[in-house]
């Protein structure tokens, strides 16, 4: 996802955010799933782009930030469980 965001590879952005959206949805990580879904739909084949590259990169930053917070919380939980 990081490389796809740097190069704005539309196929890789769609595929990686689609995977993240599905996994997070299955795990009940709603907010992360919703943010990934926004990028997934932006790059879904056949959809017209609505966001600028800068807006996409800002949203990707939000995904990375929330992902890092989520994984940190899971690791903390594992240590205390």
């Amino acid at each position: 996802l990081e490389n796809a965001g740097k190069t704005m590879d539309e196929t890789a952005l769609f595929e990686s955010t689609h995977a993240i959206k599905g996994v997070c949805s299955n795990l009940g990580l709603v907010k992360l799933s919703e943010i990934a879904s926004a990028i997934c739909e932006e790059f879904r084949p056949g959809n017209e782009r609505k966001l600028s590259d800068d807006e996409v990169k800002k949203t990707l930053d939000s995904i990375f930030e929330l992902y890092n917070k989520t994984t940190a919380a899971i690791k903390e939980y594992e240590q205390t469980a």
Side-chain angles (χ1 to χ4, degrees):
L1 181 58
E2 286 184 69
N3 288 335
K6 289 176 185 173
T7 63
M8 294 306 290
D9 180 332
E10 294 185 5
T11 301
L13 282 165
F14 170 74
E15 290 175 355
S16 58
T17 55
H18 188 267
I20 291 169
K21 176 182 81 163
V23 168
C24 290
S25 182
N26 286 334
L27 293 173
L29 302 171
V30 177
K31 191 170 184 176
L32 190 51
S33 177
E34 290 174 347
I35 297 171
S37 181
I39 298 300
C40 179
E41 294 309 313
E42 181 73 12
F43 292 100
R44 182 177 294 280
N47 283 1
E48 184 177 325
R49 291 250 342 243
K50 297 176 183 173
L51 301 174
S52 69
D53 287 357
D54 287 339
E55 290 171 317
V56 169
K57 289 179 181 185
K58 185 175 181 180
T59 304
L60 290 173
D61 287 342
S62 296
I63 291 172
F64 300 138
E65 181 181 339
L66 188 53
Y67 174 85
N68 290 333
K69 286 181 182 179
T70 302
T71 56
I74 291 169
K75 287 175 185 176
E76 182 179 330
Y77 171 77
E78 285 179 326
Q79 292 174 355
T80 60

